[in-house]
């Protein structure tokens, strides 16, 4: 009979794409993991991994076997967390996935405060840009997306509503004309988030609350909002940035809002977890803390739903009832008066 610990080690080898990566992550000698995987294969009379000095590949059977290993680990963790329900203070490991920008400017600054109040909890945050799901053995995914965002297979806890704006450095307008219309904007250098295919476009809402797809040919394309902000500060072009990322720059005058009469649909910061496993107590404590400390740009009563027309028919989106300049002013005043952390 094989050891369940070997199943855990095998799952980590698959997760870290090799024995060396798993050994480094677990702090275990690679030779020990290699012996245990061979013992597991012997007990199963099956090859789970094809390996050589240069290549590592999980066999088809190994991939199917790992799916059950991951479920076993999740259920074991759930059983462990059940014991925590009888304890007064949360404890254990919480694995979180979120984008780099959210980790640096929204979630990351809050985590040390949470951990100081909950010393029994350990946090693991992954920010590598890739397609992930809760089935990848994360307890919690923090994401930001345009609303409505329907996903009946998941439980979603809203954490705040955030607004983006078109911003640029005054340095840019020392060499190019400051745009006063969308046509003039089209002649300006722009910075956009990376897309793998198709034309670049920004969803905008005009002065008459009409939905506009602004197509453009960006001068810089990058898949990191922090780099986009840095490029905008250097005068490389006009960029659509979340206010959470650039509010301080606007206050200082190093960035300014461009065409404030055109705004972006609002987005919602969400904590996502699977309904089939429920919400473990330690994970709940993290979500409750983030819900209490993440301060968005707008309240729900400050947004309104609109209907537009997309490529596939009618579309729905939510937008602010307030102009961008008013949101910036209100956010600045709230930052001075509130004792809560505000991402900026």
């Amino acid at each position: 009979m094989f050891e369940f610990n070997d199943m855990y080690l095998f799952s980590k080898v698959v997760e870290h794409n090799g024995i060396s990566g798993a050994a480094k992550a677990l702090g275990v000698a690679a030779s020990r993991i290699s012996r245990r995987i061979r013992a597991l294969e012997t007990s199963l009379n099956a090859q789970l991994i094809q390996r050589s000095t240069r290549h590592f590949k999980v066999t088809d059977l190994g991939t199917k076997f790992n799916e059950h290993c991951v479920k076993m680990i999740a259920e074991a963790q759930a059983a462990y967390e059940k014991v925590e329900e009888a304890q007064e203070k949360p404890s254990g490991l919480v694995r979180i996935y979120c984008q780099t920008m959210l980790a640096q400017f929204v979630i990351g600054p809050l985590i040390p405060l949470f951990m100081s109040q909950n010393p029994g909890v350990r946090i693991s945050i992954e920010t590598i840009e890739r397609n992930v799901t809760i089935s990848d053995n994360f307890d919690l995914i923090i994401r930001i997306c345009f609303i409505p965002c329907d996903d009946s297979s998941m439980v979603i806890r809203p954490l705040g509503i955030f607004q983006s704006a078109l911003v640029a450095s005054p340095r840019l307008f020392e060499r190019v004309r400051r745009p006063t219309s969308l046509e003039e904007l089209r002649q300006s250098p722009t910075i956009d988030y990376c897309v793998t295919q198709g034309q670049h476009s920004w969803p905008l809402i005009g002065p008459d609350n009409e939905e506009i797809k602004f197509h453009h040919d960006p001068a810089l394309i990058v898949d990191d909002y922090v780099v986009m902000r840095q490029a905008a500060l250097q005068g490389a072009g006009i960029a659509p940035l979340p206010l959470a990322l650039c509010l301080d720059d606007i206050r200082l005058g190093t960035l300014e809002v461009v065409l404030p009469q055109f705004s972006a649909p609002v987005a919602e910061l969400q904590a996502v977890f699977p309904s089939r496993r429920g919400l473990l107590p330690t994970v709940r404590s993290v979500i409750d803390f983030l819900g209490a400390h993440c301060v968005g740009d707008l309240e729900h009563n400050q947004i309104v739903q609109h209907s537009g027309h997309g490529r596939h028919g009618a579309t729905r989106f939510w937008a602010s009832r307030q102009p961008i300049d008013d949101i910036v002013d209100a956010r600045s005043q709230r930052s001075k008066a509130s004792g809560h952390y505000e991402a900026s």
Side-chain angles (χ1 to χ4, degrees):
M1 183 63 182
F2 55 84
E3 294 285 342
F4 286 102
N5 284 339
D6 293 346
M7 296 175 66
Y8 174 79
L9 290 176
F10 173 73
S11 181
K12 290 301 178 182
V13 169
V14 175
E15 178 183 348
H16 294 283
N17 198 33
I19 291 175
S20 297
K24 183 177 180 181
L26 297 174
V28 177
S31 58
R32 179 190 172 194
I33 295 179
S34 181
R35 288 196 304 270
R36 295 317 309 164
I37 298 302
R38 290 187 185 278
L40 178 62
E41 291 178 321
T42 299
S43 67
L44 293 171
N45 192 27
Q47 185 177 16
L48 303 177
I49 296 173
Q50 295 176 349
R51 51 197 180 283
S52 67
T53 56
R54 294 186 178 182
H55 300 286
F56 171 89
K57 181 180 179 181
V58 182
T59 65
D60 291 341
L61 182 58
T63 299
K64 295 178 181 178
F65 182 74
N66 184 57
E67 293 175 359
H68 294 281
C69 291
V70 171
K71 292 179 181 178
M72 180 203 72
I73 295 169
E75 291 298 329
Q77 180 68 23
Y80 182 84
E81 295 282 352
K82 284 294 182 181
V83 178
E84 293 183 343
E85 292 181 2
Q87 300 176 348
E88 293 183 1
K89 296 183 178 180
S91 63
L93 175 66
V94 178
R95 295 192 64 210
I96 301 173
Y97 175 83
C98 66
Q99 292 178 321
T100 302
M101 186 272 289
L102 296 178
Q104 291 184 344
F105 287 86
V106 181
I107 303 303
L110 291 173
I111 292 301
L113 177 59
F114 170 83
M115 296 182 70
S116 68
Q117 298 176 4
N118 300 273
V121 179
R122 295 181 297 125
I123 302 290
S124 172
I125 301 177
E126 182 174 323
T127 62
I128 299 174
E129 298 294 335
R130 60 187 179 94
N131 293 325
V132 301
T133 64
I134 290 292
S135 62
D136 292 322
N137 206 25
F138 289 103
D139 298 298
L140 187 63
I141 292 177
I142 306 297
R143 70 184 185 187
I144 191 163
C145 58
F146 291 125
I147 49 177
C149 181
D150 299 323
D151 191 344
S152 59
S153 65
M154 309 298 293
V155 177
I156 297 173
R157 166 81 178 270
L159 299 177
I161 298 173
F162 290 82
Q163 178 72 63
S164 294
L166 298 179
V167 297
S169 168
R171 297 168 58 179
L172 173 67
F173 302 126
E174 293 175 1
R175 58 184 180 87
V176 303
R177 181 178 179 180
R178 180 180 282 98
T180 59
S181 66
L182 291 182
E183 285 305 313
E184 292 181 359
L185 176 62
R186 207 178 306 277
Q187 307 303 316
S188 304
T190 57
I191 306 170
D192 204 5
Y193 196 81
C194 178
V195 295
T196 56
Q197 61 182 0
Q199 190 175 22
H200 285 259
S201 65
W202 293 335
L204 298 175
I205 300 168
D208 297 324
N209 292 325
E210 73 277 17
E211 184 185 25
I212 301 168
K213 289 290 184 182
F214 176 75
H215 299 288
H216 62 113
D217 187 13
L220 175 63
I221 306 168
V222 61
D223 63 353
D224 188 307
Y225 277 108
V226 176
V227 178
M228 288 177 64
R229 169 181 172 267
Q230 293 170 342
L233 284 168
Q234 294 298 318
I238 299 170
L241 293 179
L243 289 181
L245 183 61
C246 64
L247 185 62
D248 280 347
D249 302 314
I250 295 174
R251 291 170 182 159
L252 295 172
T254 52
L255 289 177
E256 62 180 66
V257 177
V258 179
L259 295 178
Q261 66 270 37
F262 294 92
S263 62
V266 295
E268 187 174 63
L269 184 69
Q270 299 174 340
V272 182
F273 56 93
S275 57
R276 65 178 179 85
R277 280 174 49 194
L279 190 59
L280 301 176
T282 303
V283 180
R284 180 184 295 278
S285 69
V286 175
I287 296 174
D288 289 345
F289 181 88
L290 294 178
H293 290 77
C294 286
V295 180
D297 300 316
L298 297 160
E299 301 294 335
H300 275 277
N301 61 5
Q302 294 175 311
I303 63 175
V304 61
Q305 187 178 44
H306 296 278
S307 295
H309 298 282
R311 288 170 48 191
H312 304 291
T315 61
R316 291 179 298 143
F317 60 95
W318 289 79
S320 169
R321 298 177 185 271
Q322 300 175 286
I324 288 291
D325 290 340
D326 290 349
I327 298 174
V328 171
D329 291 341
R331 181 76 185 262
S332 298
Q333 292 298 321
R334 194 165 69 233
S335 179
K336 295 177 182 178
S338 174
H340 290 287
Y341 170 83
E342 292 199 46
S344 56

